[in-house]
Short mmCIF file of all heavy atoms in Angstrom, two decimals:
data_model
loop_
_atom_site.label_atom_id
_atom_site.label_comp_id
_atom_site.label_asym_id
_atom_site.label_seq_id
_atom_site.Cartn_x
_atom_site.Cartn_y
_atom_site.Cartn_z
N ALA A 687 9.66 4.94 8.45
CA ALA A 687 9.61 6.38 8.75
C ALA A 687 9.35 6.67 10.23
O ALA A 687 8.38 7.36 10.57
CB ALA A 687 8.58 7.07 7.87
N PRO A 688 10.17 6.16 11.14
CA PRO A 688 9.90 6.35 12.58
C PRO A 688 9.99 7.81 13.04
O PRO A 688 9.43 8.16 14.07
CB PRO A 688 10.99 5.50 13.26
CG PRO A 688 12.09 5.43 12.25
CD PRO A 688 11.41 5.39 10.91
N ASP A 689 10.66 8.64 12.27
CA ASP A 689 10.82 10.04 12.68
C ASP A 689 9.50 10.81 12.66
O ASP A 689 9.38 11.85 13.32
CB ASP A 689 11.84 10.76 11.78
CG ASP A 689 11.50 10.67 10.30
OD1 ASP A 689 11.09 9.58 9.86
OD2 ASP A 689 11.63 11.68 9.61
N ILE A 690 8.49 10.31 11.92
CA ILE A 690 7.21 11.01 11.88
C ILE A 690 6.08 10.15 12.44
O ILE A 690 4.90 10.45 12.25
CB ILE A 690 6.85 11.50 10.46
CG1 ILE A 690 6.82 10.32 9.47
CG2 ILE A 690 7.82 12.56 10.00
CD1 ILE A 690 6.30 10.73 8.08
N ALA A 691 6.44 9.08 13.14
CA ALA A 691 5.43 8.19 13.71
C ALA A 691 4.54 8.93 14.70
O ALA A 691 5.02 9.72 15.52
CB ALA A 691 6.10 7.00 14.40
N GLY A 692 3.23 8.71 14.61
CA GLY A 692 2.29 9.28 15.55
C GLY A 692 1.90 10.71 15.27
O GLY A 692 1.06 11.28 16.00
N LYS A 693 2.46 11.32 14.25
CA LYS A 693 2.15 12.72 13.95
C LYS A 693 0.96 12.89 13.01
O LYS A 693 0.48 14.01 12.83
CB LYS A 693 3.38 13.42 13.35
CG LYS A 693 4.57 13.49 14.31
CD LYS A 693 5.75 14.22 13.67
CE LYS A 693 6.93 14.30 14.64
NZ LYS A 693 8.10 15.02 14.02
N GLY A 694 0.55 11.80 12.39
CA GLY A 694 -0.60 11.87 11.50
C GLY A 694 -0.33 12.58 10.19
O GLY A 694 -1.26 13.04 9.53
N ILE A 695 0.93 12.66 9.79
CA ILE A 695 1.27 13.39 8.57
C ILE A 695 1.86 12.49 7.49
O ILE A 695 2.15 12.94 6.39
CB ILE A 695 2.26 14.54 8.84
CG1 ILE A 695 3.57 14.01 9.42
CG2 ILE A 695 1.63 15.58 9.76
CD1 ILE A 695 4.66 15.06 9.54
N SER A 696 2.05 11.20 7.80
CA SER A 696 2.66 10.31 6.81
C SER A 696 1.68 10.05 5.67
O SER A 696 0.47 10.01 5.85
CB SER A 696 3.09 8.99 7.45
OG SER A 696 1.98 8.31 7.97
N ASN A 697 2.24 9.86 4.50
CA ASN A 697 1.43 9.61 3.31
C ASN A 697 1.09 8.12 3.25
O ASN A 697 1.99 7.28 3.13
CB ASN A 697 2.22 10.03 2.06
CG ASN A 697 1.36 10.06 0.81
OD1 ASN A 697 0.35 9.39 0.73
ND2 ASN A 697 1.76 10.84 -0.18
N PRO A 698 -0.20 7.75 3.29
CA PRO A 698 -0.56 6.33 3.29
C PRO A 698 -0.60 5.71 1.89
O PRO A 698 -0.82 4.50 1.76
CB PRO A 698 -1.96 6.34 3.90
CG PRO A 698 -2.54 7.64 3.43
CD PRO A 698 -1.39 8.62 3.42
N ILE A 699 -0.40 6.53 0.85
CA ILE A 699 -0.58 6.03 -0.52
C ILE A 699 0.37 4.88 -0.85
O ILE A 699 -0.02 3.89 -1.45
CB ILE A 699 -0.41 7.18 -1.54
CG1 ILE A 699 -1.48 8.26 -1.32
CG2 ILE A 699 -0.47 6.64 -2.96
CD1 ILE A 699 -2.90 7.79 -1.49
N ALA A 700 1.63 5.00 -0.45
CA ALA A 700 2.58 3.93 -0.75
C ALA A 700 2.18 2.62 -0.10
O ALA A 700 2.32 1.54 -0.70
CB ALA A 700 3.99 4.33 -0.30
N THR A 701 1.66 2.68 1.12
CA THR A 701 1.20 1.48 1.80
C THR A 701 -0.02 0.89 1.10
O THR A 701 -0.10 -0.33 0.89
CB THR A 701 0.86 1.79 3.27
OG1 THR A 701 2.02 2.32 3.91
CG2 THR A 701 0.42 0.53 4.01
N LEU A 702 -0.96 1.74 0.74
CA LEU A 702 -2.16 1.27 0.04
C LEU A 702 -1.81 0.65 -1.30
O LEU A 702 -2.37 -0.38 -1.70
CB LEU A 702 -3.15 2.42 -0.14
CG LEU A 702 -3.75 2.99 1.15
CD1 LEU A 702 -4.51 4.27 0.87
CD2 LEU A 702 -4.66 1.96 1.81
N ARG A 703 -0.89 1.28 -2.01
CA ARG A 703 -0.46 0.71 -3.30
C ARG A 703 0.29 -0.60 -3.10
O ARG A 703 0.24 -1.49 -3.96
CB ARG A 703 0.40 1.72 -4.06
CG ARG A 703 -0.42 2.81 -4.74
CD ARG A 703 0.44 3.80 -5.47
NE ARG A 703 -0.33 4.60 -6.42
CZ ARG A 703 0.09 5.72 -6.97
NH1 ARG A 703 1.30 6.19 -6.68
NH2 ARG A 703 -0.66 6.37 -7.82
N SER A 704 1.00 -0.74 -1.97
CA SER A 704 1.68 -2.00 -1.69
C SER A 704 0.66 -3.11 -1.45
O SER A 704 0.90 -4.28 -1.81
CB SER A 704 2.60 -1.85 -0.47
OG SER A 704 3.67 -0.96 -0.75
N VAL A 705 -0.48 -2.78 -0.85
CA VAL A 705 -1.56 -3.75 -0.70
C VAL A 705 -2.04 -4.20 -2.08
O VAL A 705 -2.26 -5.39 -2.32
CB VAL A 705 -2.73 -3.15 0.11
CG1 VAL A 705 -3.93 -4.10 0.09
CG2 VAL A 705 -2.30 -2.86 1.53
N ALA A 706 -2.19 -3.24 -2.98
CA ALA A 706 -2.61 -3.58 -4.34
C ALA A 706 -1.58 -4.47 -5.03
O ALA A 706 -1.94 -5.41 -5.76
CB ALA A 706 -2.84 -2.30 -5.15
N LEU A 707 -0.30 -4.21 -4.79
CA LEU A 707 0.74 -5.08 -5.35
C LEU A 707 0.59 -6.50 -4.83
O LEU A 707 0.75 -7.47 -5.58
CB LEU A 707 2.13 -4.54 -4.97
CG LEU A 707 2.78 -3.51 -5.87
CD1 LEU A 707 4.17 -3.15 -5.34
CD2 LEU A 707 2.89 -4.01 -7.31
N MET A 708 0.32 -6.64 -3.53
CA MET A 708 0.13 -7.97 -2.97
C MET A 708 -1.04 -8.67 -3.64
O MET A 708 -0.99 -9.87 -3.94
CB MET A 708 -0.12 -7.88 -1.46
CG MET A 708 1.10 -7.43 -0.66
SD MET A 708 2.54 -8.49 -0.89
CE MET A 708 1.91 -10.04 -0.29
N LEU A 709 -2.12 -7.92 -3.89
CA LEU A 709 -3.27 -8.51 -4.58
C LEU A 709 -2.89 -8.93 -6.00
O LEU A 709 -3.36 -9.96 -6.50
CB LEU A 709 -4.43 -7.52 -4.59
CG LEU A 709 -5.09 -7.29 -3.23
CD1 LEU A 709 -6.04 -6.10 -3.30
CD2 LEU A 709 -5.83 -8.52 -2.77
N ASP A 710 -2.05 -8.13 -6.66
CA ASP A 710 -1.55 -8.51 -7.99
C ASP A 710 -0.89 -9.88 -7.94
O ASP A 710 -1.14 -10.74 -8.78
CB ASP A 710 -0.53 -7.48 -8.49
CG ASP A 710 -1.18 -6.22 -9.04
OD1 ASP A 710 -2.39 -6.26 -9.30
OD2 ASP A 710 -0.47 -5.21 -9.19
N PHE A 711 0.00 -10.07 -6.95
CA PHE A 711 0.74 -11.33 -6.87
C PHE A 711 -0.15 -12.49 -6.43
O PHE A 711 0.23 -13.66 -6.58
CB PHE A 711 1.94 -11.18 -5.94
CG PHE A 711 3.10 -10.49 -6.59
CD1 PHE A 711 3.37 -9.16 -6.32
CD2 PHE A 711 3.91 -11.15 -7.48
CE1 PHE A 711 4.42 -8.50 -6.94
CE2 PHE A 711 4.97 -10.51 -8.11
CZ PHE A 711 5.22 -9.18 -7.84
N LEU A 712 -1.32 -12.18 -5.87
CA LEU A 712 -2.30 -13.22 -5.54
C LEU A 712 -3.27 -13.47 -6.69
O LEU A 712 -4.29 -14.14 -6.51
CB LEU A 712 -3.07 -12.82 -4.28
CG LEU A 712 -2.28 -12.83 -2.97
CD1 LEU A 712 -3.07 -12.15 -1.85
CD2 LEU A 712 -1.94 -14.27 -2.57
N ASP A 713 -2.94 -12.87 -7.86
CA ASP A 713 -3.79 -13.00 -9.06
C ASP A 713 -5.18 -12.42 -8.84
O ASP A 713 -6.17 -12.90 -9.40
CB ASP A 713 -3.89 -14.46 -9.50
CG ASP A 713 -2.54 -15.01 -9.96
OD1 ASP A 713 -1.79 -14.25 -10.60
OD2 ASP A 713 -2.24 -16.19 -9.67
N GLN A 714 -5.24 -11.36 -8.04
CA GLN A 714 -6.50 -10.66 -7.80
C GLN A 714 -6.42 -9.29 -8.48
O GLN A 714 -6.51 -8.24 -7.84
CB GLN A 714 -6.75 -10.51 -6.29
CG GLN A 714 -6.88 -11.82 -5.55
CD GLN A 714 -8.15 -12.57 -5.91
OE1 GLN A 714 -9.17 -11.96 -6.21
NE2 GLN A 714 -8.09 -13.88 -5.88
N GLU A 715 -6.24 -9.31 -9.81
CA GLU A 715 -6.02 -8.06 -10.54
C GLU A 715 -7.21 -7.11 -10.45
O GLU A 715 -7.05 -5.90 -10.40
CB GLU A 715 -5.69 -8.35 -12.01
CG GLU A 715 -4.33 -8.97 -12.25
CD GLU A 715 -4.40 -10.48 -12.30
OE1 GLU A 715 -5.47 -11.04 -12.00
OE2 GLU A 715 -3.37 -11.11 -12.63
N GLU A 716 -8.43 -7.67 -10.42
CA GLU A 716 -9.62 -6.82 -10.37
C GLU A 716 -9.66 -6.03 -9.06
O GLU A 716 -9.94 -4.83 -9.05
CB GLU A 716 -10.88 -7.66 -10.52
CG GLU A 716 -12.16 -6.83 -10.57
CD GLU A 716 -13.40 -7.68 -10.77
OE1 GLU A 716 -13.26 -8.89 -11.08
OE2 GLU A 716 -14.51 -7.13 -10.62
N ALA A 717 -9.37 -6.70 -7.96
CA ALA A 717 -9.35 -6.02 -6.66
C ALA A 717 -8.21 -4.99 -6.62
O ALA A 717 -8.39 -3.88 -6.11
CB ALA A 717 -9.17 -7.04 -5.54
N ALA A 718 -7.06 -5.35 -7.16
CA ALA A 718 -5.93 -4.41 -7.20
C ALA A 718 -6.29 -3.18 -8.02
O ALA A 718 -5.99 -2.04 -7.62
CB ALA A 718 -4.70 -5.09 -7.80
#
């Protein structure tokens, strides 16, 4: 999403949920 970079309006939820997905694949279900 470079068109809104630096504006402070992007939604971080998808990124945070992607972190949780990575934890899932590391078998860290409790942390996810």
Side-chain angles (χ1 to χ4, degrees):
D689 56 317
I690 57 173
K693 296 181 180 180
I695 60 172
S696 62
N697 191 336
I699 298 299
T701 302
L702 294 170
R703 281 179 164 165
S704 294
V705 172
L707 273 182
M708 291 302 299
L709 289 169
D710 282 344
F711 281 102
L712 290 169
D713 295 322
Q714 298 291 329
E715 290 94 352
E716 184 178 349

